[in-house]
Each structure stands twice: as structure tokens, then as C-alpha cells.
Amino acid sequence: MPKQIDEQKHENFTQPDSFPAHMKQHLQNTTDKEENEKRKRELEKSICKIKLFCYHPLKKRQIEQKLEIHKDKTLTESTEIAYKMFDLEDVLPLDCCRIVKYDEYHDSLECSYEGQEEHTMGQILGGVKQAYNFDLLLETKHSYQEFQEYRPGGVTVKVYVADIENDILYDPISVRAYQTQTVNEFKKLVSNILKCPVDQMRCVLERFHSDLRFLAVPNKTLKAEGFFKSNKVYIEFSGLESVESGQFQCSRFYKLLDRHQNTIRIYVNIPSVDKVNEYMKSSYRHNKLLEDMCSSVKSTQDNNSLDVDEGISDTGNDSELDSKLKSVTLNNSHSDPSLGQCTSPTETGSEGRTSSPVGQSCSSSQETSTSAEFSRSAASPGTRGINNMDTHSSKKSSENLDTDYKNESENWDNDEVTIVHEEPFKHYFNMVDRDEDIVSKQRSLTILIDKRITLGAFKAELEPFIGTDSENFKVYRVYTKDQEFESIRLSETLSFFDDGKLNIKLGRALKQGEYRVKVFQLDINEAEPSKFLIDTIFAKGMTVLESKKLIIPEIKEQCGLDIPVHRCRLRKKTWKNPGSIYLDNQVYEDDVPIFANWEIFLQKLDDEEQMISSSQLAIFVRQWHPATVELENFKEIFLTQQTVEELKSKISEVSGILEDNIDYAKGRGNFPCDVSLLEMNTDLDWSPHATTLNTWPLYICDDGSVLFYKDKTEKPMELSEEQKKELQQKENTRLNRTTARTTYSPRKEKALKIYTDDHPPSTNKTSPDLD
């Protein structure tokens, strides 16, 4: 009886009706989930996934979408879905769109689907596949145009219409041709599509970059002319020029195409107007002092010596400074340069040329109001889609191509002199867009420019937009991850820089014999002993004392650091390590080697400089107290004979320890040679056997070496485990390292035993060390 009851209980428990409500709901959800997964897997087998492209008529760029369509949807239904996917409802009617087979890699139209409007996508695409070896394109047209039938085996031709009278190119249209057609038949085909005369039509094929072939033989086939799967053809039918094939390269048509091929789009970030004004005011005295110093230095190249401003007193008071900067501030307050309205006067420098070609640039801008359509076509020659022949574009004067331009700027890199040669004509430059950040006031420009322009000419073109002379700003090319690299060779071009990004930073460009120098402050007893101060310029032939007088006012103004000249020291910087001390009478390039992108340390002394001769040796010493587990601050000693006896004598003077009781060790690593206090007695090599400092094991040959010293008679303090743990935590914080050191050891290391012939290994047993 009890057994029957148990069986009945078990049976009732397994019946779903006897489950609690929440358990029955859980089972139902589980069943629904499995059913949904099953339906989802079945649905996945019915969905075609393929890339769909469309050249948007308003956005003027190609857009890519992933089309996921059921295999039973018809081509007409799929076209309507794609039409809505690209937001074309308010742009053009649905009957102006169709889906065609497309090869995105070659930018080629493969075929169209005439008569297959009611076929399913599964039939058109060849079933549901993981991947397709072709793509789809949603092609668009104007309402007055007709779609062209694309049969397999043809070639796609992007036809650009050139307007040599207005000096512009229109957006391209796609034309389907066949390699068996002749040039004359191709002209008739284009004439029917564009409704233009064929008798005056000139066609130019761009086979490769900078390879323009004039199609002059009417009966020659497209295959013989070199047409491939995807091609670019430029046409012109105005009749203004009657050019034979041999004179094509001298025509206006060729000049327009040549400029179009070499036009690139770049994005330029420029500083705000306020920063430009502030920089010009703060840097004026520095540049004036630098020029005054360099003007007194005798140089063999007098023609390239630094300019000295005339009519300004050496005191450089504020009233004179403000009057000097009026022309600069006017440049920032004039009208928008892109509108061609420049009212600021030009200022003539001492070299006899205007400080910026504002008048020249603006005169071109007044004649230019380039349309957005041409700007986009120039920047994106591979665009496709609807014909924009009805777009109004204004005139671009061809005189810009013939304007003489002379760049007298020079770039100096170490001893190498690179002179920018005269350019044969003024290269194309057009600012198509500008923007300004509301918060930072940072300005940005979008520029279409001839990539053959030199950096010097490009900087001259930027002058009216930045508001200062090209000598007062630097150009940095931006790479991936926002890495910057300064471009300093004024003769190099902007080739291979399409869609590139440039950052413009304020700072005077280098002249002959000048070097850019980064100045870091050295504070030996701070946790971070090295700190960047300023970026300045030194000149060849300048003394160290003159460079101190040059940078001290700049440091005071920019960093708020007031240092007297007699307590200012400059010294060599090698990574983070301080090196040789520079004496006031030493001359750069003669006594002190100087090079591009140089870095030096500036050290504020507590007293007057004690280094009076280059034969002296300056060493940083630091006392270690084993009895209290403490390190004192750095002190500096100066040696003349550079012997161990003199070293101990100098240490004894600054510490009061008897020479016989002094024990010392050389610091390891980069300055300040940090060592954990718990490891001071064990990690350092105390009492090295050395007779001179410049030999093994010390190798102290230059200023800035670090030595630790202690009193031999001082007994080390014995620390408890708690004291060691507490001190270890403090040391980890000070040295910025974790408590647990991560070391890689795949297995426990074993000692290496070396046997000689006199003591061979035992053969009775296997040594565990040899496993």
C-alpha cells in the first residue's frame, strides 16, 4: 500500500497539469523559444544577403547598404525596398530607379534586368548563398532620361563633360559601351544620351593616371584604343577649339584635364583668431631679440642672414608693439577670404616682397565662385549616378593657371640648404568649405588643391585664411592615431596626399642657421625631475649666455618661472638623463653641437654657477643612511682631477664623513636612478675597486652621473616584518610599481653545472640538473 501511494505521488508529480503555474509558464516559454529558434533557422535559409550600392543625388557620394531580402520577393518589390532604404522618396520618383548587377571592385555595371521585373530575387541572384561574387547597384536617372540596356560582356564608361569656357568639369554619367564599337559609334551613343552635337565632340580616354589618350581615329574600335572593364572618358563639344591630335597637349581642354587629374582634397585645421593675435604679440620680442643677436654674428652667407626690423627701438614697448601688430590683426578682421573680399593691407618685409600674397590670392578669389557640383566632381572623379548637366556653375578664370608665382622661401635642415625654385605657374587652389568650433574657436578648411604645389607655395596660399605670414606657422601632417609629423622642406609637394589632414600650428619657421629647440626644466629633487617648458629657436654662432637671455623672458611669460641669468644653467639632455653643462662663453655649432629638433635641460641653481671650466666634472651625489633607512636629497660636487681620492674628498666636504669611512656605489638606470630603500644595501655595487672614474667599473666620463654614498661605520637598522611590509608599500607607491612583480618562468630554473675533464660527472646516477 505505501508503495502504491509513492508511485501515485510520483506519477502526479510528473503530470504537467499538476505543475505550479510558474513552472508551466516556464515550460511554455521554453517550447516557444525552441520553436522561434527553429523558425529563425528556416527563415535564414530564405533570406538573400548582398551588398547594395547607390550614388545619392543629393549627398553626392556613394552609399553602401546591406540588402536582406526574401528570395520570393520580386525585383519590383526589391527596388521599392531599396528606394526607401536610401531615403530617395523626396528626391526622385520610384520609376527613376532600378537595380542592376554591379562589380564594386572594378566599378563596373555588369548587366541590367530588363523583362525580369516579376522574377524573384532567388532567381535573379541564383539562390540563397553565403556570399556572392558580384554586387547590386540602385541606379538613378532624370525623369527625361531613359535607362540604357546593359548586356553582359560590355564595358562601363564614366563620361565627364568638360566646359572649357567656364573651366569646369561636371559630375560623370555612366554609359554602357562594347569593345567592338568604334570611336564614332561611341560618340553617337554619348550624343543620344546627353543630347549634344556629335560633329564637334572631342573624346579623351584616361587609361591610367596622367595618361590621357586623344581618340582621334573615328573607325578605330574601343578595344584597340585600350578600353577595359571600367574606363574614364572626358568629352568636350563647345567648338571653341579646333585641335588636332598632335596639338592636344597645348589646348585648354588638356590643361583642364591635367588640373583635374592632379587635384586633391585636403582638410586643414588652423588656430583661432585670438590665438593668432596672442601669439604674434608674445613672440614679437622673442623674434626681435633673436634677430638682433644673429645680426651681430658674422656669417659667410650675408644674403641669407636674419632680417632685422627697422624703425623699432630695442626696448620694444607696448605702444610700439601694438602699432607693429596692427597689420596682423587687420588680417584677422577682414571679410571671408572664400568670398574674395580682402581689405587688409599687405606689409612689405625687408626682403622687398609683400609678407603675404593676399592681393594675388584674393584677386583670383574675386573671379572665382566655384560651384559645389564641380568641387565634388574634382574631389571624387569616380562618382556615378544621375546626370547633373543642368547644374549652374560659375566661371573659374583660366588666368590662375598662367599667373607667375615666385617663392623665395628657404628651408634649412642642419647644414643642408634647400632653395625653393620658381614655379612656372600658379597652381590650382580653391577653399570650398570652412567651419569653426563654437567652444574652442578652432577653424577648419576643406581645400581643393593641385598636388604638385610645393609646401612653400601652399603656406603662402594659407596666409590670408590664418591671418599671419607663412613664416609664423608650421605645417604638421596627421597620420593614423593622430600622430603628427612636421613638414619642413618647402620644396616638397603635396603628392599622394588625397583626403589627407593637416594641422597648422603657430611658430616661426626656421631660417638659415636656426634650429628648433625644446627646453625642459631639470629639478633634481622632484618626483618628476623633467618637465617641458617651451619650444624655442637657437641660431648657429650664438653663445650660451645669449641663448639664456633669449629664453628667460619667454619662460617667464609663458611658464611664470623667473630665473636670474647668473642662476640659470643649460645642459645636455639625453633621453631623461642630464649631461654636459654648457658654459656661458661656449658657441653653438663651434663648441656645442646643435642639430634639428634638439632638446636641452634648463636648471635653476640655488647659488651662482660653480662650473667654470669644461675640464671639470659635475656629479650628483646622494647620501644613504642605513641606520634610519633614508635617502637625502641630491647634492652636486665638481671634480678637477677626476680621481677616486678627489671624489672622496669632495664627498667628505659636503657630508662631514671621514674619507676613510666613505663607501660609494654608482646609480643604475635613467636619472634619478631610483632604488628601493629595502634593496639599497644589496642591489648596488658598493666599494668598487677603481682607481680612476673614467675606467671600469665606474665609467664616469660626463657630467650628470649619479653616485650614492654612506658611512661605513653606520650600522643598518634591523626591520621587523611589519616595518618591512609598511615600507614596501610606500616604496611601491614612490616607484610607481605594483607589489607583485610579474615574471615569466615556465618551470623552475635549475643551476647550470660545468664539469671539467678532471672531474667528470658521475655515471652511477642521473643528475637531476641535466633532466
Side-chain angles (χ1 to χ4, degrees):
M1 185 66 179
K3 183 177 180 181
Q4 294 178 355
I5 295 176
D6 292 342
E7 290 178 354
Q8 187 174 1
K9 287 183 179 181
H10 179 72
E11 182 181 357
N12 291 337
F13 181 76
T14 57
Q15 294 294 329
D17 294 338
S18 64
F19 281 12
H22 69 279
M23 296 186 65
K24 289 191 290 183
Q25 182 65 34
H26 173 72
L27 289 176
Q28 183 66 29
N29 292 341
T30 303
T31 305
D32 293 344
K33 185 177 180 180
E34 293 177 353
E35 185 68 22
N36 291 337
E37 290 293 334
K38 183 178 179 181
R39 293 178 180 177
K40 185 177 180 180
R41 288 192 297 268
E42 293 177 354
L43 185 62
E44 287 286 339
K45 298 178 181 180
S46 304
I47 300 297
C48 300
K49 300 178 181 179
I50 189 170
K51 287 194 295 183
L52 178 65
F53 296 86
C54 177
Y55 180 77
H56 201 284
L58 292 184
K59 298 180 180 179
K60 296 295 181 181
R61 61 184 178 89
Q62 182 170 280
I63 304 175
E64 176 185 345
Q65 295 277 8
K66 187 175 183 180
L67 178 64
E68 298 184 2
I69 195 76
H70 195 277
K71 65 178 183 178
D72 295 334
K73 290 286 185 179
T74 64
L75 179 62
T76 302
E77 293 172 335
S78 302
T79 303
E80 184 176 358
I81 292 174
Y83 174 75
K84 296 178 180 179
M85 183 185 301
F86 289 105
D87 299 325
L88 297 175
E89 294 94 330
D90 300 330
V91 180
L92 50 117
L94 177 60
D95 58 2
C96 290
C97 303
R98 69 170 180 176
I99 291 179
V100 297
K101 188 177 180 180
Y102 176 63
D103 183 355
E104 189 267 341
Y105 180 78
H106 293 97
D107 193 14
S108 172
L109 301 172
E110 297 296 297
C111 70
S112 55
Y113 299 109
E114 278 79 12
Q116 305 181 41
E117 289 77 11
E118 299 304 320
H119 287 198
T120 64
M121 293 301 292
Q123 294 174 325
I124 291 176
L125 300 178
V128 180
K129 301 179 181 180
Q130 292 290 336
Y132 297 91
N133 58 359
F134 60 91
D135 308 302
L136 296 178
L137 172 71
L138 184 64
E139 188 182 18
T140 61
K141 70 176 183 68
H142 282 298
S143 58
Y144 58 83
Q145 291 178 315
E146 294 182 1
F147 280 122
Q148 183 185 1
E149 181 181 358
Y150 302 150
R151 300 193 304 271
V155 294
T156 301
V157 183
K158 299 295 180 183
V159 178
Y160 294 80
V161 179
D163 186 351
I164 62 174
E165 183 178 6
N166 295 317
D167 203 21
I168 60 176
L169 281 175
Y170 293 99
D171 282 348
I173 62 170
S174 296
V175 175
R176 186 70 169 178
Y178 300 90
Q179 290 185 329
T180 56
Q181 290 178 325
T182 64
V183 172
N184 195 33
E185 290 173 343
F186 174 74
K187 289 183 179 181
K188 291 180 180 180
L189 176 64
V190 175
S191 176
N192 293 333
I193 296 175
L194 299 180
K195 310 301 181 185
C196 61
V198 70
D199 54 339
Q200 297 178 348
M201 183 182 297
R202 292 184 291 169
C203 295
V204 176
L205 170 66
E206 180 186 321
R207 295 194 304 173
F208 308 103
H209 181 72
S210 300
D211 184 7
L212 298 174
R213 170 176 289 189
F214 186 74
L215 304 180
V217 183
N219 296 327
K220 202 170 184 180
T221 63
L222 300 186
K223 182 177 182 180
E225 289 287 5
F227 277 69
F228 299 109
K229 193 173 185 179
S230 180
N231 309 272
K232 291 181 183 179
V233 170
Y234 305 93
I235 67 170
E236 195 277 323
F237 47 82
S238 65
L240 297 178
E241 287 184 321
S242 179
V243 181
E244 300 295 334
S245 59
Q247 300 177 350
F248 169 63
Q249 292 188 350
C250 301
S251 65
R252 294 169 58 186
F253 187 24
Y254 174 81
K255 290 182 179 180
L256 175 59
L257 300 185
D258 180 67
R259 190 194 72 191
H260 170 72
Q261 283 190 316
N262 292 282
T263 297
I264 60 175
R265 180 189 298 265
I266 58 176
Y267 305 91
V268 184
N269 293 324
I270 62 177
S272 64
V273 176
D274 295 337
K275 287 186 177 180
V276 174
N277 292 334
E278 182 181 354
Y279 167 78
M280 293 302 297
K281 188 173 181 178
S282 63
S283 64
Y284 172 73
R285 290 191 180 90
H286 175 270
N287 295 338
K288 180 65 171 61
L289 183 59
L290 177 62
E291 291 173 355
D292 289 343
M293 289 180 179
C294 294
S295 63
S296 62
V297 178
K298 293 182 179 180
S299 176
T300 57
Q301 299 176 344
D302 296 334
N303 294 333
N304 295 323
S305 61
L306 298 177
D307 298 333
V308 181
D309 293 332
E310 299 178 358
I312 301 178
S313 62
D314 293 338
T315 56
N317 55 60
D318 292 338
S319 60
E320 292 174 330
L321 177 61
D322 293 338
S323 63
K324 182 68 177 177
L325 295 175
K326 281 183 180 179
S327 60
V328 177
T329 55
L330 283 174
N331 283 337
N332 296 326
S333 60
H334 65 68
S335 301
D336 190 342
S338 64
L339 301 178
Q341 299 174 357
C342 294
T343 58
S344 61
T346 58
E347 181 185 24
T348 303
S350 59
E351 295 180 355
R353 67 176 180 91
T354 56
S355 61
S356 63
V358 177
Q360 182 181 5
S361 300
C362 295
S363 63
S364 301
S365 300
Q366 290 172 351
E367 299 172 0
T368 306
S369 179
T370 306
S371 65
E373 284 73 21
F374 166 67
S375 302
R376 298 186 183 99
S377 65
S380 305
T383 52
R384 65 194 64 80
I386 68 173
N387 181 17
N388 289 320
M389 283 295 296
D390 58 344
T391 304
H392 296 286
S393 300
S394 58
K395 181 178 180 181
K396 173 70 179 178
S397 175
S398 61
E399 294 177 359
N400 290 343
L401 298 177
D402 303 320
T403 304
D404 292 333
Y405 176 78
K406 182 177 181 181
N407 188 349
E408 298 178 354
S409 301
E410 297 176 352
N411 172 55
W412 306 94
D413 187 6
N414 293 344
D415 292 334
E416 178 184 358
V417 179
T418 304
I419 301 179
V420 180
H421 300 284
E422 295 183 7
E423 298 188 356
F425 57 86
K426 181 178 172 63
H427 288 291
Y428 177 71
F429 180 96
N430 183 26
M431 197 278 295
V432 296
D433 189 25
R434 66 185 304 164
D435 192 16
E436 182 175 352
D437 188 84
I438 301 177
V439 179
S440 63
K441 302 298 181 181
Q442 181 84 13
R443 296 174 290 172
S444 60
L445 305 175
T446 302
I447 298 174
L448 295 177
I449 192 171
D450 193 322
K451 65 182 180 182
R452 295 167 296 185
I453 192 173
T454 62
L455 178 62
F458 173 68
K459 292 183 67 176
E461 294 284 3
L462 287 179
E463 288 179 353
F465 302 100
I466 298 177
T468 184
D469 190 82
S470 60
E471 295 182 350
N472 293 318
F473 61 85
K474 301 170 288 184
V475 178
Y476 286 83
R477 183 172 179 177
V478 182
Y479 294 88
T480 56
K481 297 183 180 180
D482 293 332
Q483 294 180 338
E484 295 180 330
F485 183 80
E486 183 180 1
S487 298
I488 59 176
R489 297 186 180 274
L490 300 181
S491 60
E492 67 179 0
T493 64
L494 301 184
S495 301
F496 310 107
F497 202 52
D498 195 7
D499 285 330
K501 184 179 179 182
L502 297 176
N503 286 342
I504 304 299
K505 296 185 179 181
L506 296 171
R508 190 169 65 77
L510 300 179
K511 296 182 180 180
Q512 178 190 10
E514 293 184 348
Y515 301 86
R516 200 170 306 282
V517 180
K518 292 183 181 296
V519 182
F520 293 78
Q521 182 182 8
L522 176 64
D523 198 337
I524 58 178
N525 290 310
E526 288 291 329
E528 185 59 40
S530 177
K531 181 178 69 174
F532 174 75
L533 293 178
I534 59 171
D535 191 344
T536 187
I537 297 174
F538 286 176
K540 176 182 177 180
M542 180 187 297
T543 65
V544 174
L545 179 60
E546 289 174 336
S547 64
K548 291 180 182 179
K549 294 179 180 180
L550 178 69
I551 63 177
I552 285 177
E554 193 174 357
I555 292 174
K556 182 178 181 181
E557 183 175 357
Q558 296 187 26
C559 308
L561 188 62
D562 190 6
I563 305 177
V565 177
H566 63 279
R567 289 172 53 191
C568 176
R569 172 193 287 175
L570 299 181
R571 64 191 306 163
K572 181 180 178 181
K573 180 179 183 291
T574 306
W575 184 228
K576 296 182 179 181
N577 302 310
S580 303
I581 297 174
Y582 303 138
L583 304 180
D584 288 347
N585 59 350
Q586 289 181 323
V587 179
Y588 293 116
E589 195 71 27
D590 295 338
D591 305 317
V592 178
I594 187 172
F595 45 88
N597 299 320
W598 199 33
E599 294 183 353
I600 62 172
F601 271 129
L602 181 145
Q603 189 176 357
K604 184 178 181 180
L605 304 177
D606 296 330
D607 298 313
E608 292 188 5
E609 179 64 79
Q610 300 182 33
M611 189 81 166
I612 58 176
S613 173
S614 58
S615 61
Q616 291 179 289
L617 186 64
I619 300 177
F620 293 116
V621 293
R622 197 172 188 183
Q623 185 171 1
W624 159 242
H625 294 282
T628 58
V629 195
E630 292 179 346
L631 268 175
E632 291 188 3
N633 287 335
F634 278 107
K635 297 178 182 178
E636 194 171 25
I637 59 175
F638 300 89
L639 307 180
T640 303
Q641 301 176 1
Q642 304 179 16
T643 61
V644 175
E645 292 75 13
E646 185 185 14
L647 172 66
K648 291 186 176 181
S649 175
K650 293 293 184 180
I651 293 177
S652 178
E653 290 180 9
V654 298
S655 64
I657 305 174
L658 297 178
E659 293 184 24
D660 295 338
N661 295 333
I662 292 177
D663 199 359
Y664 62 91
K666 185 181 179 181
R668 296 176 180 174
N670 293 324
F671 186 86
C673 306
D674 276 323
V675 184
S676 174
L677 298 182
L678 294 174
E679 301 168 352
M680 286 290 297
N681 292 324
T682 56
D683 276 12
L684 297 180
D685 184 15
W686 295 96
S687 301
H689 298 286
T691 56
T692 59
L693 302 183
N694 58 357
T695 58
W696 184 87
L698 294 179
Y699 289 119
I700 299 178
C701 306
D702 196 7
D703 302 327
S705 298
V706 175
L707 286 178
F708 296 96
Y709 67 92
K710 64 180 179 179
D711 190 344
K712 292 181 181 179
T713 61
E714 189 173 340
K715 295 183 179 180
M717 177 182 180
E718 297 196 8
L719 301 174
S720 63
E721 291 299 325
E722 293 183 358
Q723 289 176 324
K724 289 182 180 180
K725 185 177 181 180
E726 181 181 357
L727 186 58
Q728 184 68 58
Q729 292 177 350
K730 292 180 180 179
E731 286 296 282
N732 291 337
T733 303
R734 183 179 69 88
L735 300 177
N736 194 21
R737 65 185 183 187
T738 57
T739 303
R741 294 184 178 180
T742 303
T743 56
Y744 174 73
S745 180
R747 62 179 178 83
K748 185 177 180 180
E749 295 183 358
K750 298 180 181 180
L752 176 64
K753 293 185 177 181
I754 301 176
Y755 298 94
T756 63
D757 293 338
D758 298 334
H759 300 83
S762 175
T763 57
N764 298 337
K765 60 180 179 179
T766 303
S767 174
D769 298 319
L770 299 177
D771 293 341

